[in-house]
Amino acid sequence: MRVLGVDPGLTRCGIGVVDGVAGRPLRMLGVGVIRTPADSPVAERLVLIEQGMEQWLDEHRPEYVAVERVFSQHNVRTVMGTAQASAVAMLCAARRGLPVALHTPSEVKAAVTGSGRADKAQVGAMVTRLLRLAAPPKPADAADALALAICHIWRAPATNRLQQAVAAHRAPPVRVPRGTA
Amino acid sequence: MRVLGVDPGLTRCGIGVVDGVAGRPLRMLGVGVIRTPADSPVAERLVLIEQGMEQWLDEHRPEYVAVERVFSQHNVRTVMGTAQASAVAMLCAARRGLPVALHTPSEVKAAVTGSGRADKAQVGAMVTRLLRLAAPPKPADAADALALAICHIWRAPATNRLQQAVAAHRAPPVRVPRGTA
């Protein structure tokens, strides 16, 4: 599966594309950052993020998009911008019909490092090792976007089993008695 | 000037279009609400808001879009959705090249009722009177969107004067001495 991870932000929106399946070596297809000028009006910055997202989606044709779930316990001003940037990322993916998954920062850290409280350096080091890179991707937003994509690939089997269980619970399979068909 | 006001929200996004200039009677061209199902994934709800915005912009061709400025002192969960819905509204306007203005709720209330602390009923009553409607627009999100558009029309002359003053201060006009041209 090919996943495009997004670490949303107005000033720097991290993007990372990873290909692979759980339990097999992963491959990085691309990493980068969409930047917008801090002194531009928010509306124009959102247009730049949309244009950047479209380029990444066109170039890498991911099957899934994983976006960091935004919480509001952080700095109030930053969170609003992060929520707005994440909205544009989700919009670009969903209107192409791509499934959008949201993962919390601690889910991502736990998936990649084994600890939900890992720091940026640990996440960067594990991303570097898992993708067999020569050096940690910079800036941190780019490494976080790769971590999101890896998290999604590794969680997908569990998520799929959960969704199947929920679906099975909602609509039990119709059993056709033997010999009637 | 023709202004499309947006009271952003994921569940109900109020839209109101008003035509007029400060100091003259105003005219309502349209009012409504873009609704999205609360049980749908956020990404899909943002696509529905985009589609709704595009329809309103296509139909009414406003020259300005005024969006309520989102603050985070309210309910945390609601604010994230409001920020995301406002991002889509701003994006749709800005990528058409339309100027996007943000007004705070108290600016809107003060413009329409004379008090920044007016309640929903007062805002609805003043919108009804100013636009010479038979009854207050419902739901409240629709009335708020009209109030935003009215606020923008009435504040525009002051805003323009301010912008001109700032521009003049930044780049003083070049004076060509007489007789040299």
Side-chain angles (χ1 to χ4, degrees):
Chain A
M1 60 196 284
R2 181 174 297 188
V3 181
L4 185 141
V6 181
D7 182 28
L10 272 185
T11 304
R12 288 184 308 276
C13 191
I15 307 281
V17 189
V18 179
D19 199 292
V21 291
R24 300 279 296 276
L26 302 167
R27 192 161 63 100
M28 183 181 83
L29 299 179
V31 66
V33 172
I34 303 168
R35 294 175 193 272
T36 77
D39 56 354
S40 292
V42 173
E44 288 171 26
R45 301 176 77 181
L46 297 173
V47 173
L48 293 174
I49 291 173
E50 180 186 43
Q51 289 170 351
M53 271 296 290
E54 288 297 318
Q55 282 178 9
W56 278 94
L57 293 170
D58 281 343
E59 187 175 347
H60 291 285
R61 302 271 162 203
E63 297 153 282
Y64 301 87
V65 173
V67 182
E68 188 174 294
R69 190 186 287 278
V70 182
F71 283 109
S72 38
Q73 57 255 43
H74 313 292
N75 178 292
V76 159
R77 221 187 125 75
T78 313
V79 161
M80 304 306 287
T82 309
Q84 290 167 331
S86 79
V88 173
M90 287 192 271
L91 175 71
C92 290
R95 71 184 171 201
R96 289 183 182 227
L98 296 177
V100 176
L102 300 174
H103 300 290
T104 67
S106 52
E107 283 168 352
V108 175
K109 290 175 187 173
V112 174
T113 72
S115 162
R117 296 172 165 224
D119 61 18
K120 291 248 173 233
Q122 283 175 278
V123 172
M126 281 305 295
V127 164
T128 308
R129 185 183 301 177
L130 292 166
L131 298 174
R132 287 153 292 144
L133 307 176
K138 287 185 181 171
D141 315 77
D144 285 347
L146 290 170
L148 261 156
I150 296 170
C151 168
H152 187 71
I153 291 171
W154 284 357
R155 286 172 62 98
T159 309
N160 290 346
R161 281 199 300 276
L162 182 67
Q163 284 171 347
Q164 280 163 10
V166 170
H169 180 74
R170 275 189 191 153
V174 176
R175 290 172 189 272
V176 179
R178 284 188 197 166
T180 58
Chain B
M1 60 197 283
R2 180 173 296 189
V3 181
L4 185 140
V6 181
D7 181 28
L10 272 185
T11 305
R12 288 184 307 276
C13 192
I15 307 280
V17 190
V18 179
D19 199 292
V21 291
R24 300 279 295 275
L26 303 166
R27 192 160 64 102
M28 181 181 84
L29 299 179
V31 65
V33 173
I34 303 169
R35 294 175 194 271
T36 78
D39 56 353
S40 291
V42 173
E44 289 172 25
R45 302 176 77 180
L46 297 173
V47 173
L48 293 174
I49 290 173
E50 180 187 44
Q51 290 169 351
M53 271 295 291
E54 287 297 318
Q55 282 177 10
W56 278 95
L57 293 170
D58 281 344
E59 187 175 347
H60 291 285
R61 303 270 163 204
E63 298 154 281
Y64 300 87
V65 172
V67 181
E68 188 176 295
R69 189 185 289 277
V70 182
F71 284 108
S72 37
Q73 57 256 40
H74 312 293
N75 177 294
V76 159
R77 221 186 124 74
T78 313
V79 162
M80 304 305 286
T82 308
Q84 290 167 331
S86 78
V88 173
M90 286 191 273
L91 175 70
C92 291
R95 72 185 171 201
R96 290 184 181 224
L98 295 177
V100 176
L102 300 174
H103 300 290
T104 66
S106 53
E107 282 169 351
V108 174
K109 289 173 187 174
V112 173
T113 73
S115 161
R117 296 172 164 225
D119 61 19
K120 292 248 174 232
Q122 283 175 277
V123 172
M126 280 306 294
V127 164
T128 309
R129 185 184 301 179
L130 292 166
L131 299 174
R132 287 152 293 144
L133 307 177
K138 288 185 181 172
D141 315 77
D144 284 348
L146 289 171
L148 261 155
I150 295 170
C151 169
H152 187 70
I153 291 170
W154 283 356
R155 285 172 62 99
T159 310
N160 290 346
R161 279 197 302 273
L162 183 66
Q163 284 170 347
Q164 281 164 9
V166 170
H169 181 74
R170 275 191 192 153
V174 176
R175 289 174 188 272
V176 178
R178 284 190 199 166
T180 58

